[in-house]
């Protein structure tokens, strides 16, 4: 029996009524979803004075990793937002949810770099987060030619991308030994996918019924990424593993130590699978002496502000993130008054 769950924001509930929802995700459905047209980026750039550049960065195994760079005309020593898209780690591309970081290009004159990491199940284990980390290394190495201030690189992502941003930050901290390398000024984790175990109260609340992203869909995504490492994910997910342990860079909630991280922003909805793992991640950063800002938007479902940016709660959530970035970046960048 599905436990009681928080209700949806009334405006979001009305908007969601017209959206086709699913409770399960499988290989056949994934194939259909991947055939849908990708997000057209050109209309988003039409009214912006932006230089666009496409590059390819080699992965650890030599595979090409496409990245798109959106640079405000004339940008010099600008902040950078390194964007990792959502899609459950199994779908999406570098233009998915790109309207979110482009708002920060407008507000702060930030250079936006979006990475097209390889997707599961074709890529598994640490391949996805390693792709994203290689992109970060490339940005740091080419900061001067991109007009980027290397001390003001923000890693950001939504859903799966939020989890990958958290993993990249942990990698940069651990590989840099006594410092984060490359430097990361802040991490922006939007409804991040952080924990493969899928055993929280909120994951159980959003199970057994159609939704934007359900517990069953989450199990499918993690199974695609982790393969044999997850053991048997049918029925009740226990988190038991076979073979090697799951890497905390893949499932950041497993990290024993959350100290030494940059300023962190985490937001989530009260009516979504990731609510509890996201709140726990913020709590553990505080426990380690770090700085984190957490927002749980009452009545918000997974990805509500990306799907329906026109809703009042969505506008508030997006504005609150931008205000936080303004505080983190401080007066070093040209912040316009809102």
């Amino acid at each position: 029996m599905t436990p009681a769950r928080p209700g949806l924001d009334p405006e979001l509930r009305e908007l969601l009524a017209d959206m086709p929802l699913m409770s399960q995700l499988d290989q056949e459905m994934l194939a259909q979803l991947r055939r849908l047209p990708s997000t057209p980026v050109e209309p988003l750039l039409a009214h912006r004075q932006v230089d666009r550049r496409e590059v390819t960065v080699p992965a650890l195994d030599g595979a090409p990793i496409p990245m798109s760079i959106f640079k405000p005309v004339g940008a010099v020593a600008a902040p950078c937002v390194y964007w990792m898209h959502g899609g459950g780690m199994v779908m999406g591309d570098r233009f998915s949810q790109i309207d979110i970081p482009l708002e920060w290009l407008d507000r702060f004159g930030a250079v936006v770099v979006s990475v097209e990491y390889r997707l599961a199940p074709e890529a598994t284990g640490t391949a996805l987060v390693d792709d994203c980390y290689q992109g970060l290394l490339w940005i740091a190495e080419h900061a001067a030619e991109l007009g980027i201030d290397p001390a003001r690189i923000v890693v950001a992502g939504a859903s799966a991308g939020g989890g990958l941003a958290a993993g990249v930050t942990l990698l940069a901290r651990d590989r840099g030994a006594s410092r984060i390398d490359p430097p990361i000024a802040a991490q922006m984790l939007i409804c991040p996918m952080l924990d493969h175990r899928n055993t929280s109260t909120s994951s159980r609340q959003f199970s057994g019924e159609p939704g934007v992203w359900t517990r069953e869909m989450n199990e499918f995504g993690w199974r695609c990424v982790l393969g044999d490492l997850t053991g048997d994910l049918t029925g009740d997910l226990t988190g038991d593993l076979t073979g090697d342990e799951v890497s905390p860079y893949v499932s950041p909630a497993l990290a024993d130590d959350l100290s030494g991280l940059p300023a962190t922003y985490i937001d989530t909805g009260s009516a979504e699978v990731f609510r509890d793992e996201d709140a726990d991640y913020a709590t553990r950063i505080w426990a380690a002496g770090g700085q984190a800002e957490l927002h749980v938007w009452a009545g918000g479902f997974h990805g509500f502000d990306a799907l329906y940016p026109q809703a009042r709660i969505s506008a508030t959530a997006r504005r609150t993130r931008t205000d936080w970035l303004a505080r983190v970046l401080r007066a070093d960048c040209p912040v316009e008054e809102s």
Side-chain angles (χ1 to χ4, degrees):
M1 181 178 177
T2 303
R5 59 177 69 175
L8 295 177
D9 171 85
E11 185 182 11
L12 290 179
R13 183 173 60 246
E14 183 176 344
L15 290 167
L16 195 62
D18 295 328
M19 181 178 178
L21 301 175
M22 302 182 298
S23 58
Q24 302 276 350
L25 185 59
D26 57 25
Q27 292 289 358
E28 182 179 355
M29 180 59 69
L30 176 60
Q32 294 179 28
L33 292 172
R34 285 181 170 183
R35 286 195 290 269
L36 295 175
S38 60
T39 305
V41 70
E42 288 76 14
L44 296 174
L45 301 179
H47 67 285
R48 292 179 162 100
Q49 297 298 310
V50 173
D51 290 327
R52 176 181 174 183
R53 177 181 172 188
E54 301 291 333
V55 301
T56 301
V57 176
L60 289 175
D61 61 4
I65 307 169
M67 298 206 304
S68 294
I69 302 161
F70 306 100
K71 177 184 175 182
V73 174
V76 177
C80 173
V81 175
Y82 181 38
W83 181 251
M84 281 145 266
H85 69 82
M89 302 197 188
V90 296
M91 53 189 166
D93 59 30
R94 64 190 183 280
F95 305 126
S96 301
Q97 307 98 31
I98 195 67
D99 60 301
I100 295 175
L102 286 178
E103 290 183 359
W104 302 325
L105 180 151
D106 297 337
R107 179 78 185 270
F108 307 117
V111 177
V112 172
V113 182
S114 187
V115 60
E116 189 149 326
Y117 55 86
R118 286 172 289 178
L119 300 174
E122 293 82 2
T124 58
T126 60
L128 289 76
V129 70
D130 284 338
D131 285 359
C132 294
Y133 184 70
Q134 291 304 114
L136 177 66
L137 291 175
W138 186 90
I139 292 170
E141 292 168 359
H142 295 81
E145 69 180 81
L146 296 174
I148 291 171
D149 178 355
R152 292 193 293 157
I153 297 173
V154 176
V155 298
S159 192
L164 290 168
V168 164
T169 303
L170 291 170
L171 263 175
R173 181 200 63 181
D174 294 347
R175 293 186 180 179
S178 61
R179 61 189 179 88
I180 297 178
D181 186 28
I184 296 173
Q187 56 176 344
M188 171 74 74
L189 313 180
I190 302 170
C191 56
M193 183 177 177
L194 297 172
D195 194 343
H196 79 283
R197 293 168 294 189
N198 210 25
T199 55
S200 68
T201 296
S202 59
S203 74
R204 297 182 186 280
Q205 285 178 312
F206 298 95
S207 173
E209 296 181 12
V212 173
W213 190 251
T214 66
R215 184 171 188 255
E216 292 79 11
M217 296 167 73
N218 201 40
E219 288 177 2
F220 174 81
W222 280 116
R223 186 185 299 113
C224 288
V225 175
L226 298 174
D228 291 341
L229 289 181
T230 56
D232 182 7
L233 296 193
T234 59
D236 186 28
L237 182 63
T238 64
D240 293 338
L241 305 178
T242 59
D244 297 331
E245 289 292 320
V246 174
S247 168
Y249 305 127
V250 178
S251 184
L254 299 181
D256 292 329
D257 179 14
L258 295 184
S259 65
L261 298 177
T264 301
Y265 186 101
I266 300 175
D267 71 354
T268 183
S270 67
E272 74 155 297
V273 169
F274 297 144
R275 182 195 66 218
D276 294 347
E277 64 196 64
D278 294 349
D280 181 68
Y281 204 72
T283 299
R284 292 180 56 218
I285 291 174
W286 297 324
Q291 289 289 352
E293 182 157 329
L294 170 68
H295 291 268
V296 180
W297 297 102
F301 56 79
H302 184 65
F304 67 91
D305 70 286
L307 287 170
Y308 300 110
Q310 73 274 27
R312 287 185 292 275
I313 188 175
S314 301
T316 301
R318 292 169 77 124
R319 182 174 62 250
T320 302
R321 288 183 209 133
T322 300
D323 289 346
W324 180 83
L325 268 182
R327 297 196 302 275
V328 169
L329 296 174
R330 301 183 188 276
D332 294 329
C333 57
V335 179
E336 299 176 1
E337 294 297 328
S338 58

